[in-house]
Amino acid sequence: MNDTVVARPVLDGARVQGGGAFDGFVRSGTTIELKAFTGTTGDQGGFAIPREIDAQIDAVLKNASPIRGIANVVQVGSAGYRKLVTTGGTPSGWAAETDARPMSGTPTFVEIAPPMGELYANPSASQAMLDDALFDVEAWLAGEIAAEFAKAEGQAFVNGNGVNRPRGFMQSPTAATNDATRAFGTLQHLPTGTAGDFGANGAERLIDLVQALRAPYRQGATFVMNAATAARIRKFKTSDGQFLWQPSLVSGQPATLLGYPVVEAEDMPDVAAGSNAVAFGNFRMGYLIAERTETSVLRDPYSNKPFVTFYATKRVGGCVSNSEAIKLLKFAAG
């Protein structure tokens, strides 16, 4: 690898005002150090965002992209991530002291390969804004990228079709059969008994949904729905007049329903005939997000003068990893 050193300011200056290396790159395009695998270098290479800014983006993404906050997020080094999932334990049996021990069954493995795509954002700023010493360039850039990424991620983790993007959990096939007989990769849905409505007793339907999830998965389980569905459920009461919905008493903590946290995801469908408008499950065990750790940025001051465009990319994938860990409430007669 050839190193072409043009200038080398202090490399830990991502937070240093006025002299940071990345700050200089964002404001004026100053080249710090170029790495290339060939003998030639150019101005078309990507620059990794410093760790401090990358962490800031991840924090905003977790807050703005609700599924990311409850799913299993893994950092990968390439786009070819694979995960093995066992669909059954090792069978065992009882025997007397002198009985023969016949061969028992062996566990079955399924390979999970989350579909991946390149998430990108194209924020722009005028050169005058970048030249203003009072303007926090790094905070602006991180905020712009996080807002764009969170919007795209929120949709993909719920309804993504898996083509050059994650496959959302709502795109998985569903069946009314239980875990013992349902095919791997198929989520279980529980019909409400009434098309487009909760039926005579919505509270009982929610209890059925909770209890359909086996006990090992209920530890850490979460309700997922959009705001319109949450507004309807918040009005449900028990026979003695108590609300099922318990608002949070601590800032930053989610409200609870039947003792479980509620996460609002605006990409979830509304209550309608045949829709799966409420999800309940342990998303940490049921949904996998795989992403490259680096967010790369290209600075383009030429294409749209007097604006400077920053082209940011990050590879993200996702899919259901355990179809037993997520259940859906289907608003249908059967």
Side-chain angles (χ1 to χ4, degrees), residues 134-155:
L134 299 178
F135 177 65
D136 191 341
V137 182
E138 296 180 11
W140 167 81
L141 181 61
E144 287 291 305
I145 294 174
E148 294 295 329
F149 282 9
K151 180 180 178 180
E153 280 190 352
Q155 191 279 332

Side-chain angles (χ1 to χ4, degrees), residues 111-126:
E111 184 182 68
I112 300 296
M116 298 193 73
E118 191 166 81
L119 189 60
Y120 73 93
N122 261 331
S124 298
S126 67

Side-chain angles (χ1 to χ4, degrees), residues 190-237:
L190 280 76
T192 61
T194 304
D197 202 354
F198 283 92
N201 194 324
E204 291 184 1
R205 303 290 79 76
L206 293 174
I207 293 174
D208 292 339
L209 180 65
V210 170
Q211 296 305 128
L213 191 68
R214 292 194 286 121
Y217 298 120
R218 287 201 298 269
Q219 303 297 322
T222 305
F223 281 99
V224 178
M225 63 191 77
N226 66 19
T229 305
R232 296 185 60 171
I233 293 178
R234 291 190 68 168
K235 302 170 186 176
F236 288 175
K237 295 181 181 181

Side-chain angles (χ1 to χ4, degrees), residues 83-114:
K83 179 181 177 64
L84 289 178
V85 178
T86 178
T87 60
T90 303
S92 59
W94 294 95
E97 181 179 356
T98 58
D99 285 351
R101 269 65 171 178
M103 184 70 68
S104 63
T106 57
T108 303
F109 292 92
V110 176
E111 184 182 68
I112 300 296

Side-chain angles (χ1 to χ4, degrees), residues 146-216:
E148 294 295 329
F149 282 9
K151 180 180 178 180
E153 280 190 352
Q155 191 279 332
F157 295 152
V158 176
N159 290 311
N161 59 15
V163 179
N164 298 323
R165 69 195 62 193
R167 183 182 297 113
F169 66 90
M170 293 295 290
Q171 293 299 311
S172 298
T174 68
T177 50
N178 59 28
D179 293 346
T181 58
R182 198 174 63 258
F184 179 82
T186 301
L187 301 182
Q188 181 182 5
H189 68 250
L190 280 76
T192 61
T194 304
D197 202 354
F198 283 92
N201 194 324
E204 291 184 1
R205 303 290 79 76
L206 293 174
I207 293 174
D208 292 339
L209 180 65
V210 170
Q211 296 305 128
L213 191 68
R214 292 194 286 121

